[in-house]
Amino acid sequence: MNEVLLIYAVALLLAWPLGLYLATIYSPRPTALDRLFGPVEWVLYRAIGVDPLAPMHWKAYGKALLKLHVVLALLVLVILMQQGRLPLNPDGIAGMSWDLALHTTASFITNTNQQHYSGQAQLSYFAHLVAIVSLQVITPAAGIAALVAILRTAFARREASALTTDGAVSVGNFHADLVRAIVRLMLPVAFITALLLAWQGVPNTLEGAQTATPLDPSAELAEQRIPVGPVAPMVAIKQVGTNGGGWYGPNSSVPLENPTPVSNVVETVAIVLIPMALVFMAGYLTGRRRLTLLVMGVMLSMSVVLTGINIWSENQPNASFAGLAAEGPNLEGKEVRFGATATALWGSFTTQTSNGSVNGMHDSFNPLGGAATLMDMFINATFGGVGVGLINFLLFLLLAVFLGSLMVGRSPEVYGRALEAKEIKLICIALLIQPLLILGLTATAVAIPGLAQNSNPGFHGLSQVLYEYTSAFANNGSGFEGLGDDTPWWNISCALALILGRFIPILAPLALAAHLAGKRVAPTTSGSLAVETPTFAVLTLGVILMFALLSFFPVLALGPFAEFLSLAS
Amino acid sequence: MNHAPSFAPTVSATPIGRWLQALRGALVLMLLCGVLYPLLTVAISGVLFPRQSTGSLIERDGTVIGSALVGQPFKAPGYFHGRPSAAGYDPFGVSGSNLASSNPALRERARASSSEIAAANAVEPAAIPVDLIAASGSGIDPHISPEAAELQIDRVAAARGLPRAAIAALVAAHVESPVLGVLGQPRVNVLRLNLALADLGVEAGVTP
């Protein structure tokens, strides 16, 4: 338990100053670090051929973001299918099938990192670095860019909006927002993390697999081939960028990817560090510190409750072991060096942030532990993915403003700007597509024989299918991994959920922000709804729970809750 | 806005120009994030952490026996045994069982492990630490709990013809405690313990 408190405390204490630093990155004032980073950024802008100061309309901003992603996706698709002919492939790994390459590309271009392959056996070093690691740096940076554009446009305390050359509202410059996030945040943090992990024992070499002769010949394993590679830089960025896709199939449960309790703390803190820091950043950047207090308060409450349920659940015995061993926590799918509590904590953080890395197998969690991780992903705004998590939260906040205002009979407005039909439509598009897509695809996969490929019988089989689509849409990437998911059906249907789950929740709020910013600001009066208050925090919490959990309550009852009750009886 | 001269004339005026610019952006960022960043860490790790960088290998008499981070299968009664593995301790096939707690197949597997361990160590099932019948997440967990090692002391001592106290002392010396008293769980690295045991056996002239 002390380990859990320590990790929460360390994460919050690091996130606070990091958030302040992030706010300076995106403030127009010069900073001391410009001397260090300025020249690097200048070279990058020159090489890309863009003007980082040109203001952009939200459509231009969104198009620049989408075009970069489309081009990256095509390049990555080619690399994955052709990796057998490319360099840096000491273990002689062949190219991927088209549908697996399509799913993998969709998964990494959306910051999800859902894997229907095992990296150590199915990706070359070239593909790991050039295709996967670069997307693991770029996609969270794009999330930060979108968040910053939305915050500065619709939430910042200021006199008038910046304008583009033809007089429309500017949301900022995409290239500058992206490059700054990469150069000043993602790469430095990942670099430090990578060296910490290499020190703890995560391999970091270009040599091919090592061969060992095991000690006990009677165990009939004549030779043990140990896959290594440039693992540390990938594990570092997969943790700090809410990516989650690891080098080895079972991710950070593998001792080569997470060797010691110290590396485990580094990786666990890295999961929540930037998502938490962005909440602190939001307050400094917009000049509304109490907004940070409101958001952090609601997020921490949800986090603590669901993490608590998960830790309690995993410290209960596994029902299958009753009478066969001394009573102890559920260690099926978990590693001895971490134990049940640290694994449950990771499982909660990784689903609260849309990271998706694991240090134990979620498929073998007790039913309520699995249910807690599912609920984290339905909410998808408890810290959330880098950038997009806070965007999701702000949507819930606007919805709470709308509902709260109607309940007390005021005209809905946020920070003086009226919320009208168009804004509410955009919010509903972004929020309602989630249950439609997840439940629709889950129903289809279980209704048509042969599609689901679930490996566990009964209620848990349904949970496996539900988890896969929830994880895809939440851009999480973890899985109930017993599922036989490398089939054309799974690859293509998940690719659909991945892409819609990424770009709609970025573009709709961006449009919404620009639209809000174009409105006249009404002066605050005693009749305005006070947003930054405890009462409103409770209302926001209620709206999140209602929207995110009630839509899924029936399917939770059919899956994990039914499994729990059947084992309890 | 006096920045204009410092930037190349943008090529983004036409639709094709904008796509070419996106391509330029993608290639430049891939070079920075996918080549420079990781290779810089590889170069530094190679200098600072040469042993860890290639997989923390353990050599004995000039041959690589294994990695301190990768568990191995042990069957002989004179060795300590590790946890059940869904991957047969093959690091290229790393995997957990992914069996749900409600899956009858898990109960079957656990029943087999439990009776095997109970028979080999002459104990009741209720005395078996749970990590010995639960498969690890990675399939190559190098550790067992100290209790799981203690359970096996009598068997190992008998098989090697050594006094129980000698083996117990060896186990005690190999228990790793939580870091700073808080982080992680107490544990024993099975391969390291068995290597120490093998060294002991050679000196005592006993082959397992």
Side-chain angles (χ1 to χ4, degrees):
Chain A
M1 211 60 224
N2 289 335
E3 189 170 9
V4 175
L5 296 175
L6 187 79
I7 287 174
Y8 264 105
V10 168
L12 282 166
L13 287 175
L14 288 175
W16 191 345
L18 189 64
L20 188 56
Y21 167 71
L22 271 164
T24 67
I25 293 180
Y26 287 108
S27 85
R29 284 182 300 281
T31 72
L33 289 167
D34 287 345
R35 279 191 182 196
L36 179 63
F37 294 123
V40 180
E41 288 166 357
W42 187 82
V43 169
L44 287 173
Y45 297 137
R46 276 299 290 259
I48 304 172
V50 289
D51 176 357
L53 296 174
M56 291 169 116
H57 183 257
W58 80 265
K59 281 186 185 161
Y61 197 102
K63 274 185 195 165
L65 183 147
L66 279 181
K67 279 190 173 137
L68 177 69
H69 282 74
V70 168
V71 174
L72 281 167
L74 292 174
L75 291 170
V76 166
L77 195 66
V78 171
I79 292 173
L80 294 177
M81 291 178 71
Q82 298 298 328
Q83 60 178 349
R85 296 175 195 171
L86 292 167
L88 275 182
N89 187 9
D91 298 325
I93 288 163
M96 280 186 176
S97 67
W98 70 270
D99 58 308
L100 182 57
L102 176 76
H103 174 267
T104 306
T105 304
S107 165
F108 282 85
I109 203 77
T110 55
N111 189 237
T112 309
N113 296 208
Q114 190 172 49
Q115 293 162 299
H116 291 174
Y117 66 92
S118 273
Q120 79 282 352
Q122 284 172 275
L123 276 189
S124 74
Y125 293 178
F126 186 89
H128 259 129
L129 297 183
V130 180
I132 301 297
V133 171
S134 53
L135 288 185
Q136 289 180 322
V137 182
I138 297 166
T139 56
I144 293 178
L147 170 67
V148 168
I150 289 165
L151 285 175
R152 74 156 76 89
T153 309
F155 290 88
R157 194 192 287 279
R158 60 178 173 177
E159 298 304 311
S161 301
L163 298 179
T164 62
T165 44
D166 46 4
V169 172
S170 159
V171 298
N173 182 289
F174 171 68
H175 308 287
D177 289 345
L178 180 79
V179 165
R180 284 183 167 230
I182 291 175
V183 172
R184 298 188 187 217
L185 176 70
M186 301 311 305
L187 288 179
V189 175
F191 181 78
I192 296 167
T193 311
L195 292 185
L196 284 172
L197 295 178
W199 164 55
Q200 284 298 304
V202 179
N204 201 4
T205 176
L206 295 180
E207 283 179 33
Q210 310 282 342
T211 304
T213 313
L215 187 59
D216 182 5
S218 66
E220 288 163 359
L221 186 69
E223 181 185 90
Q224 199 178 36
R225 287 185 68 228
I226 300 169
V228 291
V231 183
M234 186 207 199
V235 175
I237 188 64
K238 82 150 177 170
Q239 293 304 106
V240 301
T242 56
N243 289 295
W247 190 280
Y248 302 96
N251 212 274
S252 278
S253 71
V254 176
L256 292 162
E257 191 157 326
N258 188 6
T260 65
V262 174
S263 70
N264 191 58
V265 170
V266 171
E267 292 183 21
T268 308
V269 170
I271 293 175
V272 290
L273 180 63
I274 293 181
M276 280 181 174
L278 288 168
V279 178
F280 287 108
M281 178 199 78
Y284 293 112
L285 193 69
T286 56
R288 302 182 192 279
R289 309 269 180 92
R290 289 170 60 98
L291 180 67
T292 287
L293 212 59
L294 164 84
V295 177
M296 192 50 99
V298 175
M299 285 182 172
L300 268 180
S301 326
M302 295 190 292
S303 172
V304 166
V305 170
L306 285 171
T307 306
I309 292 174
N310 199 358
I311 290 176
W312 173 82
S313 163
E314 292 318 297
N315 276 293
Q316 304 305 307
N318 186 311
S320 280
F321 299 159
L324 300 177
E327 202 159 279
N330 176 14
L331 287 182
E332 180 71 18
K334 297 190 180 65
E335 301 281 300
V336 164
R337 63 194 178 285
F338 309 139
T341 301
T343 308
L345 175 66
W346 180 306
S348 288
F349 274 7
T350 200
T351 45
Q352 286 162 10
T353 57
S354 109
N355 185 297
S357 61
V358 296
N359 71 347
M361 294 301 107
H362 289 194
D363 216 349
S364 297
F365 273 19
N366 284 329
L368 290 187
T373 59
L374 273 166
M375 287 192 257
D376 282 330
M377 291 190 291
F378 294 144
I379 295 171
N380 205 22
T382 320
F383 312 124
V386 168
V388 291
L390 187 49
I391 296 178
N392 287 344
F393 190 96
L394 292 173
L395 287 181
F396 283 124
L397 186 111
L398 293 181
L399 195 63
V401 168
F402 181 72
L403 293 177
S405 301
L406 294 186
M407 282 197 288
V408 296
R410 312 229 185 274
S411 58
E413 55 177 45
V414 61
Y415 296 130
R417 293 188 175 105
L419 281 177
E420 291 164 306
K422 176 153 187 188
E423 287 81 22
I424 296 304
K425 270 184 207 159
L426 284 167
I427 293 172
C428 288
I429 288 174
L431 293 180
L432 288 182
I433 189 165
Q434 182 205 27
L436 281 176
L437 203 72
I438 294 176
L439 296 175
L441 285 171
T442 302
T444 311
V446 293
I448 300 175
L451 283 189
Q453 303 285 327
N454 40 3
S455 62
N456 284 298
F459 305 119
H460 195 85
L462 175 65
S463 305
Q464 283 186 300
V465 174
L466 174 69
Y467 195 105
E468 191 72 2
Y469 284 123
T470 305
S471 167
F473 188 84
N475 290 172
N476 184 283
S478 61
F480 277 3
E481 290 297 344
L483 195 71
D485 50 20
D486 182 15
T487 63
W489 163 261
W490 274 113
N491 285 330
I492 294 166
S493 64
C494 282
L496 177 76
L498 289 161
I499 290 169
L500 293 177
R502 174 70 172 178
F503 294 104
I504 289 176
I506 284 182
L507 296 177
L510 194 63
L512 173 75
H515 197 253
L516 268 182
K519 298 191 179 194
R520 198 180 59 81
V521 178
T524 310
T525 66
S526 60
S528 310
L529 181 79
V531 166
E532 292 153 352
T533 62
T535 319
F536 187 74
V538 173
L539 179 66
T540 310
L541 186 64
V543 166
I544 293 176
L545 296 185
M546 223 165 57
F547 259 76
L549 295 188
L550 274 192
S551 334
F552 294 101
F553 186 78
V555 75
L556 280 173
L558 288 174
F561 293 162
E563 188 188 4
F564 172 73
L565 292 173
S566 73
L567 288 176
S569 60
Chain B
M1 297 258 178
N2 56 0
H3 61 281
S6 48
F7 291 97
T10 48
V11 288
S12 58
T14 62
I16 293 182
R18 289 202 195 94
W19 282 105
L20 283 178
Q21 185 180 66
L23 179 64
R24 261 168 90 176
L27 291 174
V28 168
L29 292 179
M30 273 184 158
L31 183 69
L32 174 73
C33 308
V35 179
L36 294 181
Y37 151 66
L39 293 190
L40 185 63
T41 72
V42 169
I44 295 175
S45 306
V47 176
L48 293 183
F49 319 114
R51 190 182 58 79
Q52 295 98 312
S53 286
T54 50
S56 307
L57 301 177
I58 300 177
E59 284 191 27
R60 187 159 172 263
D61 306 328
T63 53
V64 177
I65 291 293
S67 161
L69 300 180
V70 178
Q72 291 187 357
F74 290 97
K75 282 235 176 80
Y79 281 122
F80 286 89
H81 299 174
R83 303 180 58 189
S85 164
Y89 283 98
D90 171 14
F92 262 91
V94 274
S95 174
S97 74
N98 287 314
L99 294 173
S101 52
S102 58
N103 193 328
L106 180 58
R107 177 101 188 140
E108 277 316 298
R109 194 204 71 203
R111 198 191 302 278
S113 298
S114 175
S115 53
E116 193 184 320
I117 294 167
N121 298 287
V123 291
E124 288 299 311
I128 301 173
V130 72
D131 56 303
L132 278 185
I133 66 162
S136 62
S138 62
I140 55 169
D141 191 345
H143 297 110
I144 52 177
S145 64
E147 297 76 26
E150 280 152 22
L151 181 86
Q152 305 182 48
I153 290 177
D154 283 331
R155 188 197 75 223
V156 173
R160 289 188 176 254
L162 287 169
R164 187 185 196 282
I167 307 289
L170 207 59
V171 168
H174 279 81
V175 172
E176 299 169 57
S177 304
V179 180
L180 304 175
V182 203
L183 307 179
Q185 301 295 319
R187 61 205 181 277
V188 174
N189 185 307
V190 181
L191 178 59
R192 283 194 191 282
L193 175 61
N194 282 334
L195 274 170
L197 203 59
D199 290 343
L200 209 69
V202 169
E203 277 170 18
V206 179
T207 33

